[in-house]
Amino acid sequence: MADKGYEITKCMYAKMLGENEDVRALFNPSHQIEMNGNRAHQPWSLASAIHAYACNIDNLGALGPAVNRIAEKHVSLSILPEHYPVVGQNLMHAVKEVLGDAATEDVCNAWLEAYLFLANVFIGKETEIREARSAAEGGWDGWKNFTVKRKAKESEDIVSFYLSPADGGKLPMFKAGAYTAIRVPCKRTQRNYSISSKPGEDFLRITVKRTGPSGKGAPVGCVSTWLHDRVKEGDTLELGVPCGDFLLDDKSLADDKPLVFISGGVGITPIIAMLESAISSGCEKDIVVIAAARDRKVEAMHEVLMKHDKENPNVSVTFLYGKLRMNHIRKAVGQSKDNHYYFCGPAAFMKVVYSGLKSWNIPEDQVHFEFFGPHRDLLSSEAPDSPKREARCPFPFFQKT
């Protein structure tokens, strides 16, 4: 599987998405394309996950955090129990097609048993989350209509949408850092976007970057383009209930260790929600914000961050244009590195921050991040002698986009 995993998953997605229109709507088509000599994002994510699962087959307890992370994504996107047999059938077809004679009856039965076991784990966890979110005040299951109350340009390529329930009802409480899904019926697809507003407001704000082609042969971001060009104030959007696991931890608010929020580009979206949530909670300890962007023209939330810096003596904001390096973080945090770190941004940015924090020997429970892609891609950025983070084993049949 280590040698053939990517070939198997690429075959699986090609067949499954080509033959199942309802399932195809759950995926970002650009993630199926090999670009710039790199593997296609979605098949590589799944291949990495299957390999990790196989390596931990005798230690399934280690899957707990990963199961919760993926289950949150599935609930957001309305992944249902009936989708799992479709994935299983196509996975087994691909195993047989790619492995050929090596796909003996025993091998196929073993993989089918493993898949069914894990599928049932996910179905159980997702049912639990779905029922809890639906039963909460202001909660719902599936899709709910929201009205676009305001559309605000944040930068050259980033726009915010302020969304309120069309029925005038309350919003559920959620933790800062959560995301919501948007379904686009006319395009038969959906995407997840971080909620950039803090909990407790009477609206949800999403802040969306217009996504251009990520490489030669790749399409533009169809949903972000639709939101930027077609959606206007007064329109109705369908949203999934807030979900996520990259959340502002109550424990990091309660102790005396400073908070450090680091964002790269549009990664500011969950970070600004966390910052504003910490401020509104009455947090008095030091809060350091490092907001990196390619240049001023594409930077979002600059004025908002300046306002928080000016009005809150415990908040210090550093703006950086260009490539982030660890010496920028070291200078911003000062003498003490013993802080809670929350960071989100592009893959290269994430690798710099993650590997840097590990080289500083920051404890794992003080390092919080959201990485879009196989976690082993992030782990590979560590120095050979740096402490190893506990292995994460996501199994992302359906991955956040």
Side-chain angles (χ1 to χ4, degrees):
M1 290 303 297
D3 294 334
K4 296 290 187 179
Y6 177 69
E7 190 177 347
I8 289 170
T9 54
K10 186 179 177 184
C11 174
M12 184 206 82
Y13 279 115
K15 182 176 187 298
M16 181 174 70
L17 302 185
E19 298 177 357
N20 298 272
E21 186 175 4
D22 290 341
V23 173
R24 184 165 63 246
L26 304 172
F27 293 89
N28 186 333
S30 67
H31 290 172
Q32 308 299 324
I33 301 172
E34 295 179 340
M35 292 175 289
N36 304 322
N38 297 319
R39 297 178 178 93
H41 175 81
Q42 191 76 52
W44 176 233
S45 293
L46 179 54
S48 298
I50 292 176
H51 183 249
Y53 173 68
C55 290
N56 286 274
I57 195 71
D58 295 323
N59 183 28
L60 295 180
L63 293 173
V67 167
N68 184 70
R69 180 168 59 252
I70 302 303
E72 290 280 346
K73 296 175 183 179
H74 289 185
V75 171
S76 173
L77 294 167
S78 286
I79 305 302
L80 301 173
E82 53 262 36
H83 293 129
Y84 282 90
V86 177
V87 176
Q89 291 165 11
N90 285 277
L91 177 62
M92 295 313 301
H93 170 87
V95 168
K96 294 175 182 177
E97 181 169 319
V98 172
L99 296 185
D101 292 342
T104 64
E105 183 177 355
D106 286 345
V107 168
C108 290
N109 287 340
W111 274 100
L112 179 59
E113 181 180 352
Y115 172 77
L116 293 175
F117 172 85
L118 199 55
N120 285 329
V121 170
F122 275 121
I123 290 170
K125 184 63 178 178
E126 288 156 21
T127 299
E128 175 187 324
I129 295 172
R130 190 175 291 113
E131 290 177 351
R133 301 284 160 81
S134 178
E137 183 179 14
W140 69 93
D141 184 21
W143 302 100
K144 182 172 181 174
N145 287 339
F146 277 67
T147 302
V148 180
K149 293 294 187 180
R150 182 184 168 205
K151 181 178 180 180
K153 188 176 181 64
E154 302 286 358
S155 76
E156 190 176 78
D157 59 359
I158 297 176
V159 170
S160 285
F161 299 84
Y162 293 74
L163 312 169
S164 296
D167 62 7
K170 292 184 177 181
L171 287 171
M173 287 303 297
F174 58 91
K175 288 192 174 184
Y179 49 78
T180 184
I182 290 184
R183 182 166 69 168
V184 189
C186 64
K187 294 184 178 295
R188 293 192 59 80
T189 192
Q190 54 212 48
R191 296 288 186 274
N192 276 333
Y193 291 102
S194 294
I195 299 170
S196 60
S197 54
K198 70 179 185 293
E201 304 280 13
D202 61 358
F203 60 85
L204 298 179
R205 181 181 64 195
I206 60 169
T207 302
V208 181
K209 178 181 178 180
R210 182 192 294 273
T211 305
S214 53
K216 185 177 181 180
V220 298
C222 66
V223 177
S224 66
T225 299
W226 178 77
L227 287 167
H228 274 246
D229 294 346
R230 304 294 295 276
V231 174
K232 59 186 183 301
E233 293 178 357
D235 285 352
T236 298
L237 297 177
E238 293 180 284
L239 268 63
V241 71
C243 293
D245 74 314
F246 175 55
L247 307 171
L248 183 59
D249 188 355
D250 292 338
K251 293 179 181 178
S252 63
L253 288 174
D255 65 24
D256 60 355
K257 300 181 190 300
L259 293 170
V260 180
F261 297 120
I262 312 169
S263 69
V266 78
I268 188 64
T269 51
I271 295 300
I272 192 69
M274 291 181 181
L275 170 64
E276 294 185 343
S277 181
I279 292 172
S280 66
S281 74
C283 178
E284 296 181 350
K285 63 183 179 179
D286 289 343
I287 301 175
V288 175
V289 182
I290 305 167
R294 187 173 70 248
D295 55 52
R296 184 69 179 86
K297 293 186 297 183
V298 298
E299 180 189 24
M301 304 292 177
H302 184 94
E303 289 77 15
V304 174
L305 289 171
M306 288 185 65
K307 180 174 182 289
H308 289 313
D309 181 283
K310 182 178 180 180
E311 295 180 353
N312 300 278
N314 62 319
V315 175
S316 172
V317 179
T318 297
F319 297 101
L320 173 68
Y321 304 104
K323 187 174 182 179
L324 176 78
R325 300 186 185 280
M326 287 306 294
N327 66 311
H328 296 126
I329 299 175
R330 186 181 297 108
K331 183 177 180 180
V333 302
Q335 295 296 318
S336 177
K337 298 176 183 176
D338 188 21
N339 311 305
H340 289 285
Y341 296 86
Y342 290 82
F343 55 101
C344 183
F349 163 95
M350 296 290 290
K351 290 179 179 181
V352 168
V353 179
Y354 180 82
S355 61
L357 294 179
K358 298 310 288 183
S359 73
W360 288 0
N361 295 316
I362 305 300
E364 181 178 344
D365 63 357
Q366 292 173 218
V367 177
H368 313 268
F369 61 88
E370 185 159 43
F371 184 70
F372 303 108
H375 275 232
R376 80 179 190 183
D377 284 0
L378 181 61
L379 294 171
S380 68
S381 66
E382 293 182 323
D385 57 348
S386 60
K388 295 298 181 183
R389 187 182 182 92
E390 181 182 352
R392 300 190 178 204
C393 305
F395 205 61
F397 300 113
F398 308 96
Q399 180 136 347
K400 181 179 176 183
T401 57

